[in-house]
Amino acid sequence: MSAPTLDPRQPRAVALVTGGVRGIGRVVARGFARRGEHVHVTWRSSEALARSAEAEFGEGRAHRANALDEARVRACVQRVVESEGRIDHVVHAVGEYESGALESFSADDFRRMFASNVESAFLLAQAVRPALRASRGSLVFMGCAGLAGLRGRQQVAAYAAAKSALVVIARSLALEEAEYGVRVNVCSPGIVPHEHAAADTLDPRRVERVPLRRAGTPEEVAEAVLWLCSSAASYVTGADLPVAGGWQA
């Protein structure tokens, strides 16, 4: 897809949030909407949530797309560009989570973790490059706290390994896209309970080990993402921003 020509009649910024019909992605999408941006979201299987997202963000702004289907991802991006004339911010809030020791994982489980968290991010980045180059926009991936030290994990090894690979992808994209003015960053939540979070996120024993002595909120994560997609962060690229209350620091 060639770089689109920005429509001068469209003064508002446009945000695309993959997985934006539920969880943290939905809260991020609401944050963009509150900023006055035109918001588009993607969904895979939650049709009822997609309908509610269209009611909230506007008709035709919830797009069904399997994040691992390259053709559908590209078609989704193209639909947004054709309808809006631009894309300024992209947030990838897609990625399965599964806990457990590596011994308990099958080969298919392990592959699925990397496909969902890393391959999906790569496919999206390839699809949105031209639009973001045209707008000199921003791309944010969702990571997880505590990746800097590359420490071993007893219960989330596969997930942390996939998110570590994602950070390398993000930083590599940041280098590649810098000459075009595109910024690429990662926002890494810690323990953030929400309606669609994994059950072990609610384990009070984990929360007790957070230095700030509490779990985070989706709104706090969303504020960090919105900051990364703002002029206040115009000189920030290739960063992994933890929003974790000191968890795994």
Side-chain angles (χ1 to χ4, degrees), residues 209-234:
R209 298 201 300 271
V210 176
L212 285 184
R213 303 295 182 185
R214 66 174 179 86
T217 68
E219 289 74 18
E220 288 172 317
V221 177
E223 284 297 322
V225 172
L226 292 169
W227 179 78
L228 288 170
C229 297
S230 73
S231 59
S234 60

PDB file of all heavy atoms in Angstrom, residues 209-234:
ATOM      1  N   ARG A 209       2.870  -7.923  46.759  1.00  0.00           N
ATOM      2  CA  ARG A 209       4.292  -7.769  46.428  1.00  0.00           C
ATOM      3  C   ARG A 209       4.570  -6.551  45.546  1.00  0.00           C
ATOM      4  O   ARG A 209       5.723  -6.282  45.221  1.00  0.00           O
ATOM      5  CB  ARG A 209       4.811  -9.038  45.742  1.00  0.00           C
ATOM      6  CG  ARG A 209       4.719 -10.281  46.617  1.00  0.00           C
ATOM      7  CD  ARG A 209       5.669 -11.361  46.140  1.00  0.00           C
ATOM      8  NE  ARG A 209       5.411 -11.788  44.785  1.00  0.00           N
ATOM      9  CZ  ARG A 209       4.574 -12.765  44.438  1.00  0.00           C
ATOM     10  NH1 ARG A 209       3.873 -13.399  45.394  1.00  0.00           N
ATOM     11  NH2 ARG A 209       4.408 -13.109  43.179  1.00  0.00           N
ATOM     12  N   VAL A 210       3.534  -5.839  45.162  1.00  0.00           N
ATOM     13  CA  VAL A 210       3.721  -4.610  44.377  1.00  0.00           C
ATOM     14  C   VAL A 210       4.227  -3.512  45.309  1.00  0.00           C
ATOM     15  O   VAL A 210       3.618  -3.244  46.346  1.00  0.00           O
ATOM     16  CB  VAL A 210       2.401  -4.164  43.722  1.00  0.00           C
ATOM     17  CG1 VAL A 210       2.596  -2.837  42.989  1.00  0.00           C
ATOM     18  CG2 VAL A 210       1.906  -5.237  42.759  1.00  0.00           C
ATOM     19  N   PRO A 211       5.352  -2.865  45.004  1.00  0.00           N
ATOM     20  CA  PRO A 211       5.892  -1.831  45.900  1.00  0.00           C
ATOM     21  C   PRO A 211       4.894  -0.736  46.264  1.00  0.00           C
ATOM     22  O   PRO A 211       4.909  -0.234  47.388  1.00  0.00           O
ATOM     23  CB  PRO A 211       7.091  -1.284  45.120  1.00  0.00           C
ATOM     24  CG  PRO A 211       7.576  -2.474  44.346  1.00  0.00           C
ATOM     25  CD  PRO A 211       6.324  -3.190  43.924  1.00  0.00           C
ATOM     26  N   LEU A 212       4.018  -0.344  45.344  1.00  0.00           N
ATOM     27  CA  LEU A 212       3.021   0.673  45.675  1.00  0.00           C
ATOM     28  C   LEU A 212       1.825   0.115  46.436  1.00  0.00           C
ATOM     29  O   LEU A 212       0.885   0.835  46.740  1.00  0.00           O
ATOM     30  CB  LEU A 212       2.539   1.392  44.408  1.00  0.00           C
ATOM     31  CG  LEU A 212       3.506   2.414  43.807  1.00  0.00           C
ATOM     32  CD1 LEU A 212       2.868   3.120  42.616  1.00  0.00           C
ATOM     33  CD2 LEU A 212       3.972   3.438  44.829  1.00  0.00           C
ATOM     34  N   ARG A 213       1.851  -1.197  46.710  1.00  0.00           N
ATOM     35  CA  ARG A 213       0.862  -1.848  47.580  1.00  0.00           C
ATOM     36  C   ARG A 213      -0.545  -1.852  47.009  1.00  0.00           C
ATOM     37  O   ARG A 213      -1.516  -1.894  47.746  1.00  0.00           O
ATOM     38  CB  ARG A 213       0.839  -1.185  48.976  1.00  0.00           C
ATOM     39  CG  ARG A 213       2.167  -1.181  49.692  1.00  0.00           C
ATOM     40  CD  ARG A 213       2.606  -2.589  50.020  1.00  0.00           C
ATOM     41  NE  ARG A 213       3.870  -2.584  50.761  1.00  0.00           N
ATOM     42  CZ  ARG A 213       4.550  -3.687  51.092  1.00  0.00           C
ATOM     43  NH1 ARG A 213       4.067  -4.866  50.748  1.00  0.00           N
ATOM     44  NH2 ARG A 213       5.683  -3.595  51.749  1.00  0.00           N
ATOM     45  N   ARG A 214      -0.660  -1.826  45.735  1.00  0.00           N
ATOM     46  CA  ARG A 214      -1.980  -1.929  45.112  1.00  0.00           C
ATOM     47  C   ARG A 214      -1.818  -2.350  43.661  1.00  0.00           C
ATOM     48  O   ARG A 214      -0.735  -2.216  43.071  1.00  0.00           O
ATOM     49  CB  ARG A 214      -2.730  -0.600  45.176  1.00  0.00           C
ATOM     50  CG  ARG A 214      -2.117   0.523  44.352  1.00  0.00           C
ATOM     51  CD  ARG A 214      -2.998   1.760  44.358  1.00  0.00           C
ATOM     52  NE  ARG A 214      -2.425   2.857  43.586  1.00  0.00           N
ATOM     53  CZ  ARG A 214      -2.575   3.022  42.275  1.00  0.00           C
ATOM     54  NH1 ARG A 214      -3.260   2.129  41.566  1.00  0.00           N
ATOM     55  NH2 ARG A 214      -2.037   4.067  41.659  1.00  0.00           N
ATOM     56  N   ALA A 215      -2.911  -2.844  43.098  1.00  0.00           N
ATOM     57  CA  ALA A 215      -2.932  -3.139  41.669  1.00  0.00           C
ATOM     58  C   ALA A 215      -3.138  -1.850  40.887  1.00  0.00           C
ATOM     59  O   ALA A 215      -3.567  -0.824  41.424  1.00  0.00           O
ATOM     60  CB  ALA A 215      -4.053  -4.127  41.364  1.00  0.00           C
ATOM     61  N   GLY A 216      -2.814  -1.906  39.615  1.00  0.00           N
ATOM     62  CA  GLY A 216      -3.060  -0.766  38.742  1.00  0.00           C
ATOM     63  C   GLY A 216      -4.460  -0.802  38.176  1.00  0.00           C
ATOM     64  O   GLY A 216      -5.222  -1.756  38.400  1.00  0.00           O
ATOM     65  N   THR A 217      -4.816   0.209  37.422  1.00  0.00           N
ATOM     66  CA  THR A 217      -6.119   0.274  36.775  1.00  0.00           C
ATOM     67  C   THR A 217      -5.935   0.411  35.270  1.00  0.00           C
ATOM     68  O   THR A 217      -4.912   0.930  34.800  1.00  0.00           O
ATOM     69  CB  THR A 217      -6.942   1.475  37.281  1.00  0.00           C
ATOM     70  OG1 THR A 217      -6.318   2.690  36.833  1.00  0.00           O
ATOM     71  CG2 THR A 217      -7.041   1.466  38.805  1.00  0.00           C
ATOM     72  N   PRO A 218      -6.908  -0.039  34.484  1.00  0.00           N
ATOM     73  CA  PRO A 218      -6.826   0.156  33.036  1.00  0.00           C
ATOM     74  C   PRO A 218      -6.691   1.625  32.660  1.00  0.00           C
ATOM     75  O   PRO A 218      -6.017   1.962  31.681  1.00  0.00           O
ATOM     76  CB  PRO A 218      -8.151  -0.429  32.535  1.00  0.00           C
ATOM     77  CG  PRO A 218      -8.523  -1.447  33.554  1.00  0.00           C
ATOM     78  CD  PRO A 218      -8.080  -0.855  34.868  1.00  0.00           C
ATOM     79  N   GLU A 219      -7.318   2.498  33.444  1.00  0.00           N
ATOM     80  CA  GLU A 219      -7.242   3.925  33.155  1.00  0.00           C
ATOM     81  C   GLU A 219      -5.807   4.447  33.292  1.00  0.00           C
ATOM     82  O   GLU A 219      -5.379   5.316  32.518  1.00  0.00           O
ATOM     83  CB  GLU A 219      -8.179   4.703  34.073  1.00  0.00           C
ATOM     84  CG  GLU A 219      -9.653   4.524  33.779  1.00  0.00           C
ATOM     85  CD  GLU A 219     -10.205   3.164  34.210  1.00  0.00           C
ATOM     86  OE1 GLU A 219      -9.546   2.484  35.038  1.00  0.00           O
ATOM     87  OE2 GLU A 219     -11.282   2.771  33.717  1.00  0.00           O
ATOM     88  N   GLU A 220      -5.071   3.927  34.268  1.00  0.00           N
ATOM     89  CA  GLU A 220      -3.680   4.359  34.440  1.00  0.00           C
ATOM     90  C   GLU A 220      -2.817   3.905  33.271  1.00  0.00           C
ATOM     91  O   GLU A 220      -1.940   4.641  32.800  1.00  0.00           O
ATOM     92  CB  GLU A 220      -3.133   3.828  35.768  1.00  0.00           C
ATOM     93  CG  GLU A 220      -3.718   4.547  36.976  1.00  0.00           C
ATOM     94  CD  GLU A 220      -3.342   3.900  38.291  1.00  0.00           C
ATOM     95  OE1 GLU A 220      -3.379   2.653  38.389  1.00  0.00           O
ATOM     96  OE2 GLU A 220      -3.008   4.643  39.235  1.00  0.00           O
ATOM     97  N   VAL A 221      -3.074   2.697  32.785  1.00  0.00           N
ATOM     98  CA  VAL A 221      -2.348   2.218  31.610  1.00  0.00           C
ATOM     99  C   VAL A 221      -2.708   3.058  30.389  1.00  0.00           C
ATOM    100  O   VAL A 221      -1.845   3.469  29.612  1.00  0.00           O
ATOM    101  CB  VAL A 221      -2.649   0.738  31.346  1.00  0.00           C
ATOM    102  CG1 VAL A 221      -1.941   0.250  30.081  1.00  0.00           C
ATOM    103  CG2 VAL A 221      -2.231  -0.124  32.540  1.00  0.00           C
ATOM    104  N   ALA A 222      -3.990   3.330  30.240  1.00  0.00           N
ATOM    105  CA  ALA A 222      -4.440   4.126  29.094  1.00  0.00           C
ATOM    106  C   ALA A 222      -3.806   5.509  29.091  1.00  0.00           C
ATOM    107  O   ALA A 222      -3.421   6.029  28.031  1.00  0.00           O
ATOM    108  CB  ALA A 222      -5.962   4.232  29.094  1.00  0.00           C
ATOM    109  N   GLU A 223      -3.679   6.129  30.258  1.00  0.00           N
ATOM    110  CA  GLU A 223      -3.066   7.456  30.328  1.00  0.00           C
ATOM    111  C   GLU A 223      -1.618   7.408  29.842  1.00  0.00           C
ATOM    112  O   GLU A 223      -1.142   8.335  29.176  1.00  0.00           O
ATOM    113  CB  GLU A 223      -3.131   7.992  31.761  1.00  0.00           C
ATOM    114  CG  GLU A 223      -4.492   8.486  32.183  1.00  0.00           C
ATOM    115  CD  GLU A 223      -4.973   9.663  31.354  1.00  0.00           C
ATOM    116  OE1 GLU A 223      -4.138  10.527  30.998  1.00  0.00           O
ATOM    117  OE2 GLU A 223      -6.178   9.721  31.048  1.00  0.00           O
ATOM    118  N   ALA A 224      -0.920   6.334  30.176  1.00  0.00           N
ATOM    119  CA  ALA A 224       0.467   6.200  29.712  1.00  0.00           C
ATOM    120  C   ALA A 224       0.518   6.035  28.197  1.00  0.00           C
ATOM    121  O   ALA A 224       1.368   6.624  27.514  1.00  0.00           O
ATOM    122  CB  ALA A 224       1.128   5.014  30.399  1.00  0.00           C
ATOM    123  N   VAL A 225      -0.392   5.228  27.661  1.00  0.00           N
ATOM    124  CA  VAL A 225      -0.445   5.038  26.207  1.00  0.00           C
ATOM    125  C   VAL A 225      -0.761   6.353  25.509  1.00  0.00           C
ATOM    126  O   VAL A 225      -0.125   6.720  24.509  1.00  0.00           O
ATOM    127  CB  VAL A 225      -1.495   3.971  25.846  1.00  0.00           C
ATOM    128  CG1 VAL A 225      -1.690   3.905  24.333  1.00  0.00           C
ATOM    129  CG2 VAL A 225      -1.074   2.604  26.374  1.00  0.00           C
ATOM    130  N   LEU A 226      -1.726   7.074  26.038  1.00  0.00           N
ATOM    131  CA  LEU A 226      -2.105   8.355  25.430  1.00  0.00           C
ATOM    132  C   LEU A 226      -0.948   9.357  25.490  1.00  0.00           C
ATOM    133  O   LEU A 226      -0.762  10.157  24.563  1.00  0.00           O
ATOM    134  CB  LEU A 226      -3.339   8.920  26.139  1.00  0.00           C
ATOM    135  CG  LEU A 226      -4.628   8.134  25.917  1.00  0.00           C
ATOM    136  CD1 LEU A 226      -5.709   8.612  26.870  1.00  0.00           C
ATOM    137  CD2 LEU A 226      -5.097   8.256  24.481  1.00  0.00           C
ATOM    138  N   TRP A 227      -0.179   9.305  26.570  1.00  0.00           N
ATOM    139  CA  TRP A 227       0.987  10.181  26.650  1.00  0.00           C
ATOM    140  C   TRP A 227       1.995   9.832  25.557  1.00  0.00           C
ATOM    141  O   TRP A 227       2.527  10.727  24.889  1.00  0.00           O
ATOM    142  CB  TRP A 227       1.647  10.065  28.029  1.00  0.00           C
ATOM    143  CG  TRP A 227       2.866  10.930  28.147  1.00  0.00           C
ATOM    144  CD1 TRP A 227       2.916  12.273  28.359  1.00  0.00           C
ATOM    145  CD2 TRP A 227       4.234  10.498  28.038  1.00  0.00           C
ATOM    146  NE1 TRP A 227       4.225  12.713  28.391  1.00  0.00           N
ATOM    147  CE2 TRP A 227       5.053  11.645  28.192  1.00  0.00           C
ATOM    148  CE3 TRP A 227       4.836   9.253  27.836  1.00  0.00           C
ATOM    149  CZ2 TRP A 227       6.442  11.566  28.147  1.00  0.00           C
ATOM    150  CZ3 TRP A 227       6.225   9.187  27.779  1.00  0.00           C
ATOM    151  CH2 TRP A 227       7.010  10.339  27.937  1.00  0.00           C
ATOM    152  N   LEU A 228       2.229   8.540  25.350  1.00  0.00           N
ATOM    153  CA  LEU A 228       3.156   8.123  24.303  1.00  0.00           C
ATOM    154  C   LEU A 228       2.669   8.562  22.923  1.00  0.00           C
ATOM    155  O   LEU A 228       3.481   8.719  21.998  1.00  0.00           O
ATOM    156  CB  LEU A 228       3.349   6.607  24.336  1.00  0.00           C
ATOM    157  CG  LEU A 228       4.166   6.056  25.509  1.00  0.00           C
ATOM    158  CD1 LEU A 228       4.079   4.534  25.553  1.00  0.00           C
ATOM    159  CD2 LEU A 228       5.628   6.501  25.422  1.00  0.00           C
ATOM    160  N   CYS A 229       1.363   8.746  22.787  1.00  0.00           N
ATOM    161  CA  CYS A 229       0.773   9.188  21.524  1.00  0.00           C
ATOM    162  C   CYS A 229       0.427  10.670  21.564  1.00  0.00           C
ATOM    163  O   CYS A 229      -0.571  11.101  20.982  1.00  0.00           O
ATOM    164  CB  CYS A 229      -0.488   8.374  21.218  1.00  0.00           C
ATOM    165  SG  CYS A 229      -0.203   6.614  20.968  1.00  0.00           S
ATOM    166  N   SER A 230       1.239  11.448  22.243  1.00  0.00           N
ATOM    167  CA  SER A 230       0.977  12.878  22.354  1.00  0.00           C
ATOM    168  C   SER A 230       2.232  13.674  22.022  1.00  0.00           C
ATOM    169  O   SER A 230       3.345  13.132  21.982  1.00  0.00           O
ATOM    170  CB  SER A 230       0.515  13.225  23.771  1.00  0.00           C
ATOM    171  OG  SER A 230       1.603  13.164  24.682  1.00  0.00           O
ATOM    172  N   SER A 231       2.058  14.977  21.829  1.00  0.00           N
ATOM    173  CA  SER A 231       3.200  15.839  21.538  1.00  0.00           C
ATOM    174  C   SER A 231       4.149  15.920  22.730  1.00  0.00           C
ATOM    175  O   SER A 231       5.334  16.228  22.560  1.00  0.00           O
ATOM    176  CB  SER A 231       2.711  17.240  21.165  1.00  0.00           C
ATOM    177  OG  SER A 231       1.947  17.807  22.220  1.00  0.00           O
ATOM    178  N   ALA A 232       3.647  15.628  23.942  1.00  0.00           N
ATOM    179  CA  ALA A 232       4.514  15.635  25.122  1.00  0.00           C
ATOM    180  C   ALA A 232       5.601  14.579  25.026  1.00  0.00           C
ATOM    181  O   ALA A 232       6.655  14.705  25.650  1.00  0.00           O
ATOM    182  CB  ALA A 232       3.686  15.428  26.388  1.00  0.00           C
ATOM    183  N   ALA A 233       5.341  13.539  24.233  1.00  0.00           N
ATOM    184  CA  ALA A 233       6.316  12.457  24.059  1.00  0.00           C
ATOM    185  C   ALA A 233       6.939  12.488  22.668  1.00  0.00           C
ATOM    186  O   ALA A 233       7.381  11.466  22.153  1.00  0.00           O
ATOM    187  CB  ALA A 233       5.648  11.108  24.304  1.00  0.00           C
ATOM    188  N   SER A 234       7.010  13.669  22.070  1.00  0.00           N
ATOM    189  CA  SER A 234       7.468  13.777  20.686  1.00  0.00           C
ATOM    190  C   SER A 234       8.927  13.372  20.483  1.00  0.00           C
ATOM    191  O   SER A 234       9.339  13.117  19.353  1.00  0.00           O
ATOM    192  CB  SER A 234       7.260  15.210  20.182  1.00  0.00           C
ATOM    193  OG  SER A 234       7.994  16.130  20.983  1.00  0.00           O
TER     194      SER A 234
END
